[in-house]
């Protein structure tokens, strides 16, 4: 039986410590803070990140450095037969396409998965990959299964402040000003390769209801599974743990019998939406 190891990047919402416990390897994403490079969850903590973000320092995200990726593969292939690499969605970063090109030099021993996911839904895919490897699936088989089911997930995000969307050029200054004046809480959706506007709410309470209703509608209309028996549900947040715990309880009440996991949103998302945001996500259970 081939020994397969699963590798991802830090956009997946795994911490380095969590990854070690399940045998997953993490390539940390670099961030440039006032021109100085820092690595997520290595020498850049969540607390450090949000402090810098709120101070208004120049902060840029970047794809993993090519040498960091290939060095990790080379190191692991000394101990394992094959590598399954699951990076951030190709639609949100060029790192996936770059990794696919790099893998061509590894004679099939490295399989790069274009999973079309990020953050907590990517984390679920990593867990799925580990389970599939434990079942004896090859790296190629795991890649095929994860790419086939890539769109069976979605993230709905309530953005608390419009200033970061304006800064990133996703909305105009005028739209941000009007939205702030009207206290609009936009709800965004990440589904597959796209981050899109989904709805607008006037209060946090209304935004929460919108997100929960969206999940229920997806379960019933897309999957014919109104109770979510074949689904995983995850709550995520940006630097507002207390609010997230309360939202998690609301979600659990709406979906009794489903264990709701909770994680911080990945920093590569947080830098574009800012602190105070809440999200709920789902992923369909994978059948081998």
């Amino acid at each position: 039986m081939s020994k397969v190891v699963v590798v991802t990047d830090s956009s997946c919402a795994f911490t380095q410590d969590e990854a070690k416990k399940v045998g997953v390897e993490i390539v940390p994403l670099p961030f440039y803070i006032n021109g100085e490079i820092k690595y997520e969850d290595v020498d850049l903590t969540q607390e450090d990140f949000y402090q810098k973000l709120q101070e208004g320092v120049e902060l840029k995200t970047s794809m993993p450095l090519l040498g960091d990726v290939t060095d990790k593969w080379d190191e692991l292939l000394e101990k394992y037969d094959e590598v399954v690499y699951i990076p951030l969605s190709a639609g949100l970063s060029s790192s996936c396409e770059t990794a696919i090109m790099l893998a061509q030099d590894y004679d099939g021993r490295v399989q790069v998965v274009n999973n079309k996911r990020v953050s907590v839904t990517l984390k679920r895919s990593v867990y799925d990959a580990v389970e599939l490897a434990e079942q004896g699936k090859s790296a190629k088989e795991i890649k095929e299964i994860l790419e086939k089911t890539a769109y069976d997930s979605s993230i709905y995000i309530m953005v608390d402040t419009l200033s970061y969307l304006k800064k990133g050029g996703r909305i105009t200054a005028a739209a941000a000003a009007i939205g702030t004046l009207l206290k609009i809480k936009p709800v965004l959706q990440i589904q597959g390769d796209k981050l899109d506007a989904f709805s607008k709410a006037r209060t946090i309470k209304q935004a929460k209801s919108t997100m929960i209703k969206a999940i229920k509608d997806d379960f019933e209309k897309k999957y014919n599974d109104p109770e979510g028996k074949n689904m995983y549900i995850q709550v995520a947040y940006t630097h507002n743990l207390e609010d997230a715990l309360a939202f998690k309880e609301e979600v659990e009440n709406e979906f009794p019998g489903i264990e709701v996991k909770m994680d911080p949103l990945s920093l590569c998302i947080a830098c574009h939406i800012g602190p105070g945001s809440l999200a709920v996500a789902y992923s369909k259970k994978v059948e081998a």
Side-chain angles (χ1 to χ4, degrees):
M1 183 183 298
S2 177
K3 289 170 59 180
V4 177
V5 63
V6 178
V7 186
T8 185
D9 60 43
S10 59
S11 71
C12 69
F14 265 107
T15 65
Q16 294 284 345
D17 287 341
E18 284 177 320
K20 287 177 184 176
K21 290 177 182 177
V22 294
V24 170
E25 296 284 339
I26 305 288
V27 177
L29 293 179
F31 286 77
Y32 291 87
I33 300 176
N34 285 339
E36 182 182 359
I37 190 169
K38 297 284 186 179
Y39 287 92
E40 182 172 1
D41 199 38
V42 175
D43 55 3
L44 179 63
T45 66
Q46 289 260 331
E47 287 298 323
D48 292 339
F49 171 83
Y50 285 107
Q51 180 179 341
K52 297 297 184 184
L53 194 67
Q54 291 171 326
E55 288 173 359
V57 302
E58 184 184 13
L59 195 156
K60 296 179 180 179
T61 60
S62 176
M63 61 184 281
L65 302 181
L66 303 187
D68 290 347
V69 175
T70 54
D71 285 351
K72 176 65 71 175
W73 294 352
D74 293 341
E75 172 195 335
L76 292 170
L77 287 172
E78 293 181 4
K79 298 184 290 184
Y80 296 90
D81 296 322
E82 297 180 307
V83 168
V84 174
Y85 183 53
I86 318 174
L88 172 64
S89 168
L92 300 173
S93 168
S94 61
S95 61
C96 183
E97 291 180 355
T98 301
I100 290 171
M101 289 190 294
L102 292 173
Q104 293 174 3
D105 293 333
Y106 285 80
D107 298 323
R109 295 184 69 196
V110 175
Q111 295 289 328
V112 179
V113 182
N114 184 6
N115 194 225
K116 305 184 186 297
R117 298 189 186 187
V118 65
S119 196
V120 290
T121 55
L122 176 54
K123 185 175 187 177
R124 183 61 250 173
S125 291
V126 172
Y127 274 123
D128 291 336
V130 170
E131 292 171 5
L132 291 166
E134 289 172 347
Q135 294 169 21
K137 300 292 184 186
S138 69
K140 187 172 186 294
E141 288 172 324
I142 294 170
K143 167 186 167 72
E144 290 171 351
I145 291 169
L146 294 185
E147 290 186 343
K148 182 179 178 181
T149 59
Y151 287 102
D152 289 338
S153 70
S154 199
I155 306 177
Y156 295 95
I157 307 173
M158 179 215 76
V159 178
D160 186 55
T161 172
L162 298 175
S163 60
Y164 295 92
L165 290 174
K166 180 188 75 173
K167 186 176 180 180
R170 294 190 178 274
I171 59 173
T172 65
I178 293 170
T180 300
L181 182 65
L182 297 176
K183 298 181 179 180
I184 287 174
K185 304 292 182 186
V187 175
L188 311 178
Q189 181 184 21
I190 301 177
Q191 211 280 326
D193 285 332
K194 295 181 179 180
L195 169 65
D196 291 319
F198 179 77
S199 181
K200 295 178 183 176
R202 294 294 294 273
T203 64
I204 291 176
K205 181 179 179 181
Q206 188 181 51
K208 289 179 178 179
S209 296
T210 296
M211 291 189 289
I212 290 172
K213 183 178 183 301
I215 295 278
K216 287 184 171 181
D217 287 347
D218 284 350
F219 284 5
E220 182 174 356
K221 296 173 184 178
K222 289 178 66 174
Y223 301 104
N224 194 29
D225 185 12
E227 296 180 3
K229 292 180 178 179
N230 297 301
M231 300 291 178
Y232 297 103
I233 298 180
Q234 301 136 297
V235 164
Y237 60 98
T238 58
H239 206 50
N240 52 338
L241 179 58
E242 187 175 341
D243 292 342
L245 287 168
F247 184 44
K248 178 175 181 284
E249 186 174 344
E250 289 182 46
V251 175
E252 287 171 333
N253 290 337
E254 294 290 339
F255 298 95
I258 300 180
E259 181 184 9
V260 178
K261 300 284 189 178
M262 189 175 78
D263 290 286
L265 274 168
S266 304
L267 297 185
C268 63
I269 294 179
C271 67
H272 296 295
I273 62 175
S277 301
L278 291 171
V280 62
Y282 68 81
S283 303
K284 189 175 184 292
K285 294 179 180 179
V286 168
E287 297 179 5

